[in-house]
Amino acid sequence: MFEKILIANRGEIAVRVTRTAKRLGIATVAVYSDADRDALHVRMADEAVHIGAAPVGESYLDGDRIIQAARDTGAEAIHPGYGFLSENPDFVEKVEAVGLIFIGPSSQAIRAMGLKDAAKRLMERAGVPVVPGYHGDTQALVALAAKANEIGYPVLIKARAGGGGKGMRLVSDQDAFPEALAAAQREAKAAFGDEHVLVEKYIETPRHIEVQVFGDNHGNAVHLFERDCSAQRRHQKVIEEAPAPGMNEATRQAMTDAAVKAAKAISYSGAGTIEFIVDASEGLRPDRFWFMEMNTRLQVEHPVTEMITGIDLVEWQLRVAAGEPLPLMQEQITATGHAVEARIYAEDATRDFLPATGTLHHLKFPDAVNGALLRVDAGVTAGDAISPYYDPMIAKLIVHAATRAAALDALATALEATEVAGSTVNLGFLARLARDEDFAAGNLETGLIGRKQAALTTVASPLARHVASAVAATSSRARAADDADPFSTISGYGHFGAMAHRRTLQRGDETISAWVTARPDGALSICVGEDERTQPIIVRRGEAGRVACWPGHVTVFERADGLTFQVPDPLQMAGDAAAGDRLSAPMPGLVKLVRAAVRETVRKGQPLLVLEAMKMEHTITAPHDGVIAEIASEGAQVNDGAMLVRFEELSE
């Protein structure tokens, strides 16, 4: 076994690998960019090496710097985690050329499966079923459009490199094909450095089911059962589970046999995942699944497999890379119960899942869930900042229970007990999805979230009791202190009774007033609204509910939703009301493409520019009719709230 390894990644997966390495007595070396100098994975490692600036191209994708860091620290092997360089065969060859070990498959296996078009041709030869489509080299618009017509709409345009929904577009008719192709190619180029795409028939009632495989350098290959990853938004997974709901033994046997056959076809060594697209229109059937792609690395959702099998997949990776045979053979691997994982992202589900940034001023996970085993895989702690440079996932909640129903209930309960303040997160969306009737019934397919997005992402407006909780929490001048006691600062002399103190909160464009009076019994009497004589809400000591105060704000937690209010500073309330007619950046990002010009007349809804943030493209459209006075330049890096467009009024 290794004595020291370098982990060529960041965030949650770097923390995950470090935990197993420490358990096995292996020393760890972390690498970090400027943005991650104080990150959790750096603090946990035995050593840490700075490798460059925040952009991934200057740090986590700089293979030469990472290899040099490994050599300088005496590491024997490099674990790539997932993403970044984990599926880069050139990096693998460079690692091995200097005498280090890559903890993963060979460069030949990665090349064989790394490009989706070539992988599908290989799988066809190996006898693995493949979804109908065009997987050739021609990339001209005319040729690809003709192939799409031949396949029949709807079709899916997919980047041949990478994954995670990047470089992917669903196209319903031929008129939309050119624009979708251009967008997919741009996004693929930005994310993977490869704009090559393929075109496939879109399965209209699809489920995404994958099989975890593992091989070693002694000719052995096994599967560790299947996972269902059909709960997706924008082609990115949000909740995964194992085993797949509704799976029957005949389909499981056919699917796992095909997965092991695929692994053996390339003499695969290490952890890998064979992903299948499944036609669920008539339930799960042995003849209705097709190979989609292979991920030649550990998957984000690997914990659900670990929970049902009791196997540490990172330990297996380390042992196989060290030359050991697989710890167990197929007949020794069993599955028990049901596991579900939810990915907690810094994103605004109410704004079509736009990535969010901010500082995690308050972060609290539950310690346990009744009747289920709870696991939290996090890459952050309270006080950490969410950077615009990297993927916005901050943690994963995983639960294991005897049945799927019990696991889903435990997951929803755990999500509702999680508290995050300082950045917008998707907790409420995840909890509503976990409790959705169709999802709970196992009526899964990849379009489920899209169909129910409005209901799953709607957050109810704050009630008077939420306002009262926020006001009670912010009624202390020392509210930022841990020992702040809002009940001690509301007293005051009144000739005919206790004085009422006015408090003001802001939520979006709405100003909310409340009147607070200290009662003789020590409780607070809070009247929400402009009239201090409205029906009061009584808040006693210790009964303000789940509340977190952070600089200039207070967040009240209602189940899984965080209702955040701004706390205006009376000395700074004079705002600039004449800011002009502007369109601001909804998040930090790069202006990738400008589609309008100064003095151009535009209409409401017209695309104006494309903003690239967190590896995804976001089209910014005109909020109303107008004439453009100023517009951001292509290639500009903008911050959240920066002016993108300034309008003049339309002439009469």
Side-chain angles (χ1 to χ4, degrees):
M1 182 52 73
F2 305 114
E3 293 185 2
K4 182 187 289 188
I5 64 170
L6 181 142
I7 302 168
N9 217 295
R10 64 175 301 280
E12 173 269 325
I13 187 57
V15 171
R16 163 74 188 90
V17 175
T18 300
R19 292 190 192 283
T20 289
K22 284 183 177 294
R23 181 174 61 79
L24 296 176
I26 301 171
T28 57
V29 180
V31 293
Y32 64 92
S33 69
D34 287 346
D36 283 339
R37 189 174 300 275
D38 299 316
L40 178 60
H41 77 278
V42 175
R43 303 196 299 269
M44 286 185 62
D46 297 295
E47 301 174 62
V49 180
H50 177 250
I51 54 170
V56 293
E58 301 174 42
S59 50
Y60 297 106
L61 289 180
D62 191 329
D64 292 337
R65 289 189 185 182
I66 289 171
I67 291 171
Q68 190 60 50
R71 299 182 72 183
D72 290 345
T73 56
E76 304 156 78
I78 295 178
H79 194 301
Y82 48 69
F84 295 143
L85 295 168
S86 62
E87 295 179 282
N88 186 318
D90 295 333
F91 177 66
V92 177
E93 290 172 352
K94 287 183 178 181
V95 169
E96 293 173 344
V98 298
L100 299 174
I101 294 174
F102 181 76
I103 303 173
S106 67
S107 59
Q108 294 89 344
I110 294 175
R111 281 200 172 90
M113 301 302 259
L115 298 178
K116 297 181 180 69
D117 51 354
K120 290 182 179 183
R121 292 194 293 267
L122 175 61
M123 291 298 99
E124 284 180 314
R125 293 195 295 271
V128 177
V130 174
V131 68
Y134 175 70
H135 310 131
D137 294 325
T138 300
Q139 292 293 289
L141 169 60
V142 173
L144 290 178
K147 290 294 183 182
N149 287 332
E150 183 181 317
I151 295 165
Y153 287 94
V155 298
L156 201 59
I157 301 172
K158 299 172 64 175
R160 72 172 179 178
K166 300 173 182 68
M168 184 181 293
R169 293 294 187 278
L170 172 61
V171 190
S172 300
D173 59 72
Q174 61 183 6
D175 292 339
F177 190 85
E179 178 83 11
L181 175 63
Q185 289 175 327
R186 281 196 310 272
E187 198 168 272
K189 179 71 173 177
F192 315 120
D194 183 351
E195 63 184 9
H196 195 115
V197 299
L198 49 87
V199 181
E200 292 181 344
K201 179 65 179 174
Y202 179 71
I203 308 301
E204 298 199 54
T205 312
R207 280 179 65 177
H208 180 146
I209 300 178
E210 61 191 29
V211 176
Q212 177 73 59
V213 294
F214 229 105
D216 62 21
N217 296 310
H218 303 273
N220 302 307
V222 298
H223 72 80
L224 290 89
F225 302 98
E226 80 281 354
R227 299 185 287 255
D228 194 299
C229 306
S230 302
Q232 302 179 7
R233 53 103 176 96
R234 294 191 314 205
H235 306 294
Q236 290 184 307
K237 306 165 188 174
V238 290
I239 290 184
E240 303 98 347
E241 55 185 307
M247 179 61 73
N248 56 71
E249 281 307 314
T251 304
R252 174 176 289 131
Q253 189 67 50
M255 196 175 287
T256 54
D257 284 351
V260 173
K261 186 185 298 184
K264 288 184 174 180
I266 56 172
S267 301
Y268 194 78
S269 176
T273 301
I274 309 296
E275 301 195 350
F276 296 103
I277 192 77
V278 181
D279 181 356
S281 59
E282 299 179 16
L284 300 182
R285 291 174 42 175
D287 60 346
R288 294 292 181 89
F289 69 88
W290 300 275
F291 172 85
M292 189 163 55
E293 63 181 326
M294 181 179 189
N295 288 301
T296 51
R297 54 171 168 79
L298 201 64
Q299 292 280 88
V300 176
E301 58 271 21
H302 77 273
V304 294
T305 295
E306 294 184 321
M307 296 288 258
I308 66 167
T309 62
I311 293 170
D312 184 332
L313 297 186
V314 173
E315 179 179 344
W316 276 34
Q317 284 187 299
L318 294 169
R319 293 193 180 282
V320 166
E324 297 180 21
L326 291 177
L328 299 174
M329 290 295 100
Q330 191 65 68
E331 62 276 7
Q332 298 173 292
I333 301 170
T334 59
T336 303
H338 201 95
V340 190
E341 170 185 293
R343 304 186 188 190
I344 302 175
Y345 283 100
E347 64 182 15
D348 190 344
T350 67
R351 300 171 68 195
D352 199 25
F353 304 103
L354 279 179
T357 56
T359 298
L360 300 172
H361 291 284
H362 177 83
L363 180 64
K364 180 182 178 183
F365 298 106
D367 295 324
V369 180
N370 289 339
L373 180 63
L374 173 67
R375 167 175 164 178
V376 179
D377 283 13
V380 293
T381 57
D384 288 349
I386 303 300
S387 167
Y389 294 101
Y390 313 118
D391 186 274
M393 188 179 74
I394 61 176
K396 302 180 302 194
L397 287 186
I398 312 104
V399 296
H400 180 260
T403 65
R404 183 173 187 265
L408 286 178
D409 181 67
L411 178 66
T413 300
L415 290 165
E416 290 163 356
T418 300
E419 300 175 1
V420 182
S423 179
T424 303
V425 293
N426 65 339
L427 284 168
F429 157 73
L430 292 170
R432 283 184 281 275
L433 177 58
R435 295 198 186 280
D436 177 78
E437 290 183 2
D438 283 333
F439 188 77
N443 298 326
L444 302 179
E445 42 89 15
T446 57
L448 174 66
I449 290 175
R451 291 197 318 276
K452 297 191 168 191
Q453 185 167 330
L456 294 173
T457 58
T458 297
V459 179
S461 297
L463 302 175
R465 60 183 175 85
H466 300 131
V467 175
S469 292
V471 168
T474 59
S475 290
S476 169
R477 298 185 186 95
R479 60 180 175 268
D482 290 340
D483 60 351
D485 181 5
F487 296 83
S488 67
T489 60
I490 303 302
S491 60
Y493 174 77
H495 190 68
F496 296 104
M499 292 178 60
H501 297 255
R502 183 173 181 176
R503 294 287 182 262
T504 302
L505 300 175
Q506 196 82 22
R507 183 166 167 83
D509 296 330
E510 181 185 8
T511 299
I512 305 170
S513 295
W515 298 86
V516 188
T517 305
R519 296 184 357 151
D521 63 0
L524 297 182
S525 175
I526 301 175
C527 298
V528 177
E530 292 295 332
D531 189 346
E532 60 182 289
R533 294 167 297 178
T534 57
Q535 180 67 35
I537 296 173
I538 308 304
V539 181
R540 293 179 171 80
R541 293 176 186 269
E543 295 181 4
R546 298 163 59 211
V547 179
C549 292
W550 46 289
H553 300 78
V554 58
T555 299
V556 179
F557 300 103
E558 176 64 25
R559 304 190 76 170
D561 288 316
L563 305 172
T564 296
F565 303 86
Q566 289 179 282
V567 184
D569 184 339
L571 300 178
Q572 298 179 2
M573 290 185 66
D576 181 10
D581 194 4
R582 302 183 178 195
L583 181 60
S584 300
M587 73 201 101
L590 174 72
V591 179
K592 191 73 173 180
L593 185 67
V594 175
R595 304 176 65 179
V598 173
R599 291 188 294 279
E600 180 180 343
T601 300
V602 297
R603 300 298 177 191
K604 181 178 180 180
Q606 179 177 331
L608 301 181
L609 46 82
V610 175
L611 189 67
E612 182 183 275
M614 294 183 176
K615 307 178 187 177
M616 298 290 286
E617 288 189 357
H618 308 273
T619 300
I620 307 298
T621 61
H624 51 68
D625 295 351
V627 176
I628 294 178
E630 295 180 63
I631 191 165
S633 303
E634 274 188 23
Q637 187 77 42
V638 296
N639 292 320
D640 187 9
M643 187 191 74
L644 295 177
V645 181
R646 183 171 65 82
F647 297 97
E648 298 175 355
E649 291 185 4
L650 279 173
S651 57
E652 296 292 335

